[in-house]
Amino acid sequence: MRRKYRIFGLTSQATRELTFPIDDHGTVKTVLKYFQETYGFNIQHTTLPCLQVGNQQRPNFLPMEVCKIVEGQRYSKRLNEKQITALLKVTCQHPQQRELDILQTVNHNAYHEDPYAREFGIRIDERLASVEARVLPPPRLKYHDSGREKDVLPRIGLWNMRNKKMVNGGRVKEWICINFARNVQDGAARSFCRQLADMCEISGMDFSKEPLLPPLCTRPEHVERALKAHYQDAMSALKPLGRELDLLIAILPDNNGSLYGNLKRICETDLGLVSQCCLAKHVFKTTQQYLANVALKINVKVCPVLWLLSTTNLVFVVLFLLYLMFTFLYSLGGREKYCTC
């Protein structure tokens, strides 16, 4: 008889080493012997662990070779780095390729011949809808006058911070760093923080070169205790001076599971502290482009003004926003709805 079980984990021992009690007198039997005597089945892969489908009080071990995973199950845990990369490669397609895939799917599924769609009077066209649109000219962005490039015109939505300075750089005078990655040594963490601080200053921020306290190295499972303890140490030094802690830089393992979410929750809800997370792989392979991107993210969090719109584009932008506003208000005509702008 086929049964369904919920898998709770894998055994720490190999199948050939596993035993379990068969009565209340303490008699035990090996998993290998049980399957051979009960089902006449000789387990081949004895060095593999078993699936744990029971609990601590009543363990239930199933060799993997006698089980099949039920298809169509949703995986709710965080994907690892390789899985995320593979997913992005599949989903990030050129428009022409995406269009071709959609048309092939519609053709293959033959929606126009579906009896259920016909029964409800639903008709699905085999062609994509054609929508008239305009490509709006990009506005010229103005940066700080002290930079080598004072303004920039984005090309196909892209530009960088090379030779530019933020028009209103943020101020980060007091900051700390916590390293949760075991493979990142103290020296590497210090060097990374120093490079990031230099990039923030080059980009136009008022950023202190050294952290308030030496970087703290701790384990991911101690995230709450480490965050609160390091925060209290920093505030003990700052409170007598009437200053506040501006930023936490956290170095996370590449495969960090729930660590990122827990860290953000504690910083934002318990401590009220701005945080910036960086993965360990970027500590070892630091590039100027990556540091510039992180500097932009930090500045947005402490001072959300990176650039201004050039005055030559302001009239166009204001008229466009007014057009959107009045289009929205017009669409509400005849309805009992209210809108404030």
Side-chain angles (χ1 to χ4, degrees):
M1 181 176 63
R2 290 189 176 184
R3 295 181 180 178
K4 288 185 179 181
Y5 296 93
R6 181 184 292 273
I7 300 173
F8 290 98
L10 299 174
T11 60
S12 57
Q13 296 172 288
T15 302
R16 65 188 177 193
E17 301 171 358
L18 290 171
T19 60
F20 63 97
I22 58 175
D23 55 34
D24 297 332
H25 304 294
T27 308
V28 297
K29 184 177 288 189
T30 65
V31 171
L32 298 179
K33 190 174 182 180
Y34 175 80
F35 272 85
Q36 203 280 327
E37 293 178 353
T38 307
Y39 303 108
F41 183 84
N42 292 317
I43 298 173
Q44 302 296 318
H45 305 285
T46 60
T47 58
L48 296 178
C50 278
L51 301 176
Q52 171 62 279
V53 297
N55 51 47
Q56 295 295 334
Q57 289 72 32
R58 296 180 63 85
N60 192 356
F61 307 131
L62 293 179
M64 287 189 279
E65 61 194 89
V66 303
C67 300
K68 290 185 178 180
I69 297 177
V70 178
E71 64 180 0
Q73 298 184 73
R74 184 174 67 90
Y75 185 77
S76 57
K77 295 183 180 179
R78 180 181 173 84
L79 302 178
N80 61 39
E81 195 71 22
K82 290 184 178 179
Q83 290 170 326
I84 293 174
T85 303
L87 181 63
L88 290 176
K89 284 183 179 178
V90 173
T91 55
C92 294
Q93 297 177 304
H94 290 291
Q96 295 85 350
Q97 183 61 44
R98 188 178 295 278
E99 178 185 5
L100 181 61
D101 287 349
I102 292 172
L103 293 175
Q104 287 177 344
T105 302
V106 171
N107 256 342
H108 179 268
N109 293 338
Y111 292 121
H112 57 285
E113 297 176 358
D114 188 272
Y116 299 105
R118 285 181 178 178
E119 186 175 348
F120 285 94
I122 298 174
R123 180 182 175 277
I124 300 176
D125 202 318
E126 296 180 28
R127 299 167 301 175
L128 292 172
S130 179
V131 180
E132 290 188 8
R134 290 183 299 164
V135 178
L136 299 177
R140 184 173 288 277
L141 306 179
K142 186 180 186 309
Y143 284 88
H144 200 275
D145 290 338
S146 61
R148 288 174 59 186
E149 295 183 20
K150 300 176 178 56
D151 59 15
V152 61
L153 184 65
R155 303 289 183 184
I156 60 172
L158 300 176
W159 72 99
N160 56 48
M161 284 293 296
R162 192 179 296 114
N163 299 326
K164 306 174 189 66
K165 286 194 174 183
M166 303 165 190
V167 71
N168 190 11
R171 185 174 185 270
V172 177
K173 301 302 289 183
E174 312 293 351
W175 58 278
I176 55 175
C177 173
I178 299 183
N179 175 21
F180 292 96
R182 298 181 185 179
N183 58 333
V184 177
Q185 302 298 321
D186 285 345
R190 289 174 184 271
S191 174
F192 173 77
C193 289
R194 194 176 302 112
Q195 292 179 68
L196 181 57
D198 289 341
M199 178 57 70
C200 289
E201 189 175 30
I202 291 171
S203 300
M205 296 180 65
D206 184 7
F207 204 101
S208 294
K209 289 292 185 71
E210 296 294 332
L212 177 66
L213 302 173
L216 173 67
C217 183
T218 186
R219 302 177 66 173
E221 53 266 32
H222 301 153
V223 55
E224 185 166 5
R225 184 173 64 191
L227 279 173
K228 292 183 177 179
H230 209 45
Y231 176 79
Q232 290 301 328
D233 291 343
M235 291 308 297
S236 297
L238 292 174
K239 270 191 175 180
L241 304 176
R243 299 204 294 263
E244 293 289 333
L245 190 60
D246 300 317
L247 176 70
L248 162 72
I249 296 175
I251 299 174
L252 307 185
D254 297 332
N255 223 347
N256 54 74
S258 60
L259 174 60
Y260 175 82
N262 291 336
L263 184 143
K264 288 293 183 180
R265 173 182 55 80
I266 296 167
C267 286
E268 293 173 8
T269 62
D270 295 347
L271 305 179
L273 177 62
V274 174
S275 60
Q276 177 59 54
C277 296
C278 304
L279 293 179
K281 64 180 181 181
H282 296 300
V283 174
F284 297 115
K285 293 184 179 180
T286 304
T287 64
Q288 293 300 302
Q289 185 62 53
Y290 173 76
L291 293 174
N293 290 342
V294 176
L296 286 175
K297 293 182 70 174
I298 292 174
N299 195 74
V300 166
K301 294 173 182 178
V302 300
C303 178
V305 180
L306 301 178
W307 38 259
L308 297 174
L309 292 174
S310 176
T311 53
T312 57
N313 294 104
L314 287 180
V315 174
F316 168 77
V317 173
V318 171
L319 289 175
F320 179 68
L321 292 176
L322 287 173
Y323 167 76
L324 289 180
M325 181 182 72
F326 284 115
T327 302
F328 174 69
L329 292 176
Y330 178 77
S331 67
L332 296 179
R335 305 177 190 176
E336 292 183 357
K337 292 187 178 180
Y338 301 90
C339 173
T340 57
C341 298

